[in-house]
Amino acid sequence: MNSSRWQFWIDRGGTFTDIIAQTPTGRIVVHKLLSENPERYEDAAIQGIRELMEISQDQPIPAAEIELIKMGTTVATNALLERKGDRTVLAITQGFKDALRIGYQNRPDIFALEIILPEMLYEQVVEIVERYDAQGNELIPLDKIRAEQDLQAAYDSGIRSCAIVLMHSYRYPQHELEVGSIARQIGFTQISISHQVSPLIKLIGRGDTTVVDAYLSPILRRYVEQIAQQLDATHKSIKLMFMQSNGGLIDADLFQGKDSILSGPAGGVVGAVKTCSLAGYNQIIGFDMGGTSTDVSHYAGEYERSFESEVAGVRLRSPMMSIHTIAAGGGSILYFDGSRYRVGPESAGANPGPAAYGKGGDLTVTDCNVMVGKLQPEFFPQVFGKNADKPLDRAIVKQKFQVLAQGIKDGKTSEQIASGYLAIAVEMMANAIKKISLQKGYDVTEYTLCCFGGAGGQHACLIADVLGIKRIFIHPYAGVLSAYGIGLADIRILKEKSLEAELKPELLGNLQQVFQKLISVAQEELSGQQVTIKNTTILQKVHLKYSGTDSSLIVDFANLEQMRSQFEQEYQQRYGFKFTDKDLIVETVAVESICPTYTPESRITERQNNHLPQAITTVKIYTADAWYETPVYQRETLQPGDIVDSPAIIIEATGTNIVEPGWQGQISDRLDLILEKKN
């Protein structure tokens, strides 16, 4: 897809910001820089655009030359983790002032003597005198005068964000709309109304989601404005889009706090799925290992989403990619607690980073790979040290491992200790994959491990060995696949409505009407994003559950028999049994409107000559309890059909791939690297 202007696809992660640019000639360029480097730049995304367009700091960025920027960002996630959102007032039905604080009274740690309740995101609560019952009868009319006085008092104390959550408003929103208009007249700049944010039954989930939205949306607004200012333009002239947690893109103006929590990682899942399906693999485990954490995901034909999640101690009811994250990344710090090795959860981040970065950091998983020879400093960009111009520092890593070995006193050498820590990190990541696959009834041995992220290729074979997976897929852009996925992502609009009605033949007509309403709302939102609607796909889904149970499963909207049969099949797989005599309840219906934004060219690369792959050098690596003489290949020089035997190191611009003993690498005609287990 050639365009006469630049396009940028950006993933701002915890440690690195990855940028893929499409130049005006259609060429794809990859760029990586540290997410935080306050001595050199304010914002990594803007700095990356400057470097790629070769514009100095004092020159304005020429907005006219940029067509589109697609971004995934951790700005809102970080604000939530660090509790640095906007000051918020909660307006809730009288008598329910503490409902969100009490929550569901979950006790995650059943034996804890001191129970520490999660902090509330709102600062003040205003009780609204009003009440509908579940049938929509107005039991107590809305007291507008008191609502206005109380909200005005909150506004006068400096609060500008308001979350409005009233009983039964997912079905009867009149009072909420009236309170919303009072808040608007007072001058609140962010007003989140629960039936618009999360139109679903259950006050607690709806309330929490609305508060998160009010708390984080202003942070996103300011970030979008900051980027627009630095682009020397209002962002109207440049189309600026953000990745949502549900795996779809959305116009910057419509980006909401509740949809931003998994903005970056969702791009990785989309990238993994789209690149693997081009290569013909439709059952994949996504394995994204970055500097700070590892994200794993499962795909077997459809994106998996969770509709209720807990992030940083906050409950959210908003469709999110089903991604399981653990605190084990390249920057996870190594500990010895006197009796056992421990990895993480603390991370060295980008600053000071691992010990090898030469900024005084602690030993990390990355340092283990330097110690055992799997990361070779001479093939790394020289961006380390105090002035960002030094290679990785192998000497400091060896020195720190010797000190650690003296502290452990178990007679093991430095490389054996490093190898032990790597085994622990690998086991943690393999367990995360089991959680999203084996525990849900999927047999991973039939799957392809789609490995990406800066540190993924260093550990892929070891993880596949633990899980019994026999094939690994590594795309040419594996090191920046989240950014590539953000570029390939579709615009997705999801709309839901709670029903809580028994699935009977007479309900089908009603369902059809509800779907029509949701579809027209979704299409209207799509047309507001300046996209052509003609190639839009619409998915209609029904959330079903057995009567008297609490957890629903998602099926396609069809006739009664098909929906029941699909539900029972899914239930049997998930739980190992099914009921034949229980009624089914339609909990929620959902519509998803999908509009593609970019189709990658399906390029087949021809082999240039019949030369065998040439190693650029041979190094020693320590793996499987022994030192191996290991050839090092540059991935760019490998051709379709080339076979690389183990052990081997395959170096590329955005990562290092290790072919462990017992594996074999092959380059496909799309230049993908496919690693397969030798029998």
Side-chain angles (χ1 to χ4, degrees):
M1 178 176 136
N2 279 12
S3 129
S4 55
R5 294 189 290 163
W6 288 81
Q7 279 200 23
F8 294 98
W9 310 335
I10 305 171
D11 171 38
R12 189 188 182 289
T15 310
F16 286 101
T17 291
D18 301 334
I19 302 178
I20 291 184
Q22 190 182 358
T23 67
T25 58
R27 199 164 59 90
I28 297 259
V29 187
V30 174
H31 192 56
K32 230 178 168 57
L33 67 171
L34 289 170
S35 292
E36 279 171 41
N37 198 341
E39 296 91 47
R40 286 194 55 227
Y41 45 81
E42 261 182 65
D43 184 82
I46 295 293
Q47 177 65 18
I49 291 173
R50 283 184 179 283
E51 289 175 11
L52 283 161
M53 293 180 80
E54 296 174 356
I55 294 161
S56 66
Q57 295 286 28
D58 47 3
Q59 286 178 291
I61 293 175
E65 290 179 28
I66 301 174
E67 177 191 0
L68 176 64
I69 297 174
K70 299 176 181 175
M71 250 177 127
T73 176
T74 53
V75 168
T77 321
N78 293 346
L80 185 61
L81 289 167
E82 296 163 15
R83 297 292 192 261
K84 287 183 180 167
D86 246 36
R87 295 174 64 196
T88 303
V89 60
L90 167 65
I92 194 163
T93 304
Q94 187 180 31
F96 292 89
K97 179 180 177 181
D98 296 315
L100 300 190
R101 178 173 286 287
I102 295 165
Y104 295 121
Q105 296 198 341
N106 291 4
R107 294 268 305 268
D109 184 354
I110 198 82
F111 297 112
L113 295 175
E114 184 191 2
I115 295 163
I116 299 164
L117 291 171
E119 288 171 62
M120 292 292 104
L121 299 182
Y122 53 82
E123 186 178 311
Q124 290 185 26
V125 186
V126 165
E127 293 195 80
I128 305 291
V129 178
E130 68 83 43
R131 187 69 190 265
Y132 278 116
D133 68 7
Q135 282 69 45
N137 304 311
E138 188 179 57
L139 303 180
I140 302 171
L142 174 64
D143 185 339
K144 294 183 186 176
I145 295 161
R146 185 164 157 200
E148 187 173 357
Q149 286 168 349
D150 292 349
L151 286 171
Q152 185 69 54
Y155 184 84
D156 294 343
S157 73
I159 294 176
R160 295 291 176 269
S161 251
C162 177
I164 302 166
V165 185
L166 303 180
M167 284 291 283
H168 303 301
S169 63
Y170 70 95
R171 220 171 236 180
Y172 313 109
Q174 194 51 44
H175 286 174
E176 271 195 354
L177 291 168
E178 288 175 32
V179 177
S181 91
I182 291 168
R184 208 163 284 113
Q185 282 160 9
I186 290 171
F188 282 96
T189 50
Q190 170 64 38
I191 301 162
S192 297
I193 304 176
S194 80
H195 75 271
Q196 293 167 358
V197 171
S198 172
L200 301 173
I201 193 169
K202 294 187 181 174
L203 178 77
I204 307 295
R206 179 161 51 91
D208 276 340
T209 308
T210 308
V211 170
V212 168
D213 195 63
Y215 185 73
L216 295 180
S217 292
I219 303 283
L220 289 174
R221 280 285 78 68
R222 287 197 283 275
Y223 185 63
V224 169
E225 280 158 22
Q226 176 194 332
I227 284 183
Q229 277 169 1
Q230 295 195 39
L231 289 172
D232 184 33
T234 60
H235 55 273
K236 294 289 172 230
S237 59
I238 298 174
K239 188 149 180 63
L240 181 59
M241 304 187 87
F242 279 89
M243 188 68 173
Q244 304 176 90
S245 307
N246 62 33
L249 289 163
I250 194 156
D251 200 283
D253 291 337
L254 301 171
F255 193 36
Q256 283 180 282
K258 71 178 176 79
D259 295 322
S260 64
I261 305 297
L262 292 181
S263 176
V269 179
V270 174
V273 166
K274 297 233 176 195
T275 53
C276 280
S277 65
L278 275 175
Y281 305 129
N282 293 317
Q283 285 191 315
I284 64 168
I285 296 288
F287 168 63
D288 172 9
M289 184 175 179
T292 316
S293 59
T294 295
D295 297 322
V296 296
S297 51
H298 170 268
Y299 178 84
E302 272 191 12
Y303 288 121
E304 287 193 359
R305 296 199 178 93
S306 53
F307 289 82
E308 289 204 34
S309 352
E310 188 168 308
V311 181
V314 179
R315 290 174 296 257
L316 265 177
R317 289 186 74 194
S318 179
M320 287 190 192
M321 283 288 193
S322 221
I323 298 172
H324 184 52
T325 302
I326 56 160
S332 292
I333 296 173
L334 315 180
Y335 297 99
F336 179 68
D337 63 7
S339 59
R340 61 191 178 132
Y341 297 6
R342 284 180 42 231
V343 176
E346 291 79 13
S347 168
N351 199 1
Y357 283 19
K359 288 188 184 175
D362 294 309
L363 283 177
T364 65
V365 171
T366 295
D367 298 310
C368 290
N369 282 312
V370 172
M371 186 66 225
V372 298
K374 291 178 181 178
L375 288 183
Q376 297 288 328
E378 50 272 34
F379 303 116
F380 250 73
Q382 300 201 355
V383 294
F384 303 104
K386 292 276 188 286
N387 303 321
D389 58 359
K390 298 268 191 300
L392 283 174
D393 190 336
R394 184 185 279 152
I396 189 87
V397 172
K398 287 191 168 172
Q399 182 193 328
K400 287 202 169 200
F401 265 110
Q402 278 161 2
V403 172
L404 182 64
Q406 284 158 13
I408 293 175
K409 295 191 187 73
D410 61 358
K412 287 196 164 65
T413 61
S414 296
E415 60 272 12
Q416 285 172 325
I417 289 170
S419 198
Y421 276 111
L422 283 176
I424 290 167
V426 163
E427 199 61 48
M428 285 165 71
M429 293 182 279
N431 282 339
I433 292 172
K434 287 177 187 171
K435 207 176 180 68
I436 55 154
S437 54
L438 291 175
Q439 288 188 15
K440 292 186 176 175
Y442 299 106
D443 176 9
V444 285
T445 57
E446 303 298 316
Y447 279 63
T448 300
L449 185 68
C450 178
C451 163
F452 55 106
Q458 300 160 30
H459 307 94
C461 291
L462 298 174
I463 285 164
D465 278 336
V466 171
L467 294 165
I469 291 176
K470 298 178 185 64
R471 187 191 299 116
I472 299 167
F473 172 91
I474 304 174
H475 189 265
Y477 297 138
V480 292
L481 200 68
S482 288
Y484 191 56
I486 288 167
L488 301 181
D490 310 314
I491 296 173
R492 287 174 182 262
I493 310 277
L494 275 80
K495 294 290 168 200
E496 304 163 306
K497 186 170 173 56
S498 274
L499 280 185
E500 290 294 320
E502 194 181 321
L503 184 63
K504 298 178 181 161
E506 50 268 33
L507 185 68
L508 286 181
N510 185 10
L511 283 181
Q512 224 126 24
Q513 285 173 358
V514 174
F515 273 123
Q516 282 319 115
K517 270 189 198 160
L518 292 177
I519 288 168
S520 64
V521 172
Q523 294 295 73
E524 198 178 313
E525 239 179 72
L526 255 187
S527 54
Q529 296 197 43
Q530 309 147 20
V531 291
T532 43
I533 303 240
K534 61 177 186 294
N535 43 5
T536 306
T537 313
I538 290 170
L539 303 179
Q540 302 180 42
K541 299 285 182 184
V542 180
H543 296 232
L544 291 177
K545 62 183 182 183
Y546 281 125
S547 172
T549 65
D550 208 29
S551 42
S552 58
L553 295 174
I554 304 168
V555 300
D556 297 320
F557 178 53
N559 63 38
L560 284 183
E561 288 71 37
Q562 284 169 319
M563 287 196 282
R564 178 155 204 127
S565 141
Q566 194 188 340
F567 174 80
E568 286 180 350
Q569 201 176 333
E570 300 256 340
Y571 200 90
Q572 175 79 41
Q573 183 185 357
R574 179 72 58 89
Y575 301 110
F577 68 96
K578 62 184 180 190
F579 300 103
T580 46
D581 52 347
K582 273 200 172 189
D583 293 330
L584 289 182
I585 304 291
V586 177
E587 184 181 60
T588 305
V589 294
V591 155
E592 185 171 355
S593 221
I594 306 164
C595 180
T597 63
Y598 179 83
T599 310
E601 291 172 25
S602 176
R603 275 204 197 103
I604 302 294
T605 308
E606 297 293 329
R607 197 177 167 85
Q608 300 300 312
N609 54 48
N610 289 325
H611 299 162
L612 289 171
Q614 293 297 310
I616 47 174
T617 183
T618 302
V619 297
K620 280 187 144 135
I621 71 167
Y622 183 83
T623 188
D625 301 327
W627 284 100
Y628 288 85
E629 287 289 334
T630 305
V632 178
Y633 300 92
Q634 281 282 10
R635 181 156 174 185
E636 295 81 79
T637 63
L638 298 176
Q639 305 185 66
D642 275 352
I643 287 174
V644 176
D645 273 320
S646 59
I649 297 178
I650 300 173
I651 305 276
E652 52 189 303
T654 55
T656 299
N657 306 305
I658 308 293
V659 187
E660 295 280 350
W663 288 80
Q664 189 177 60
Q666 185 167 4
I667 301 293
S668 77
D669 53 10
R670 281 198 172 79
L671 297 181
D672 301 318
L673 171 59
I674 315 288
L675 303 179
E676 297 204 313
K677 183 81 176 165
K678 292 193 285 194
N679 291 332

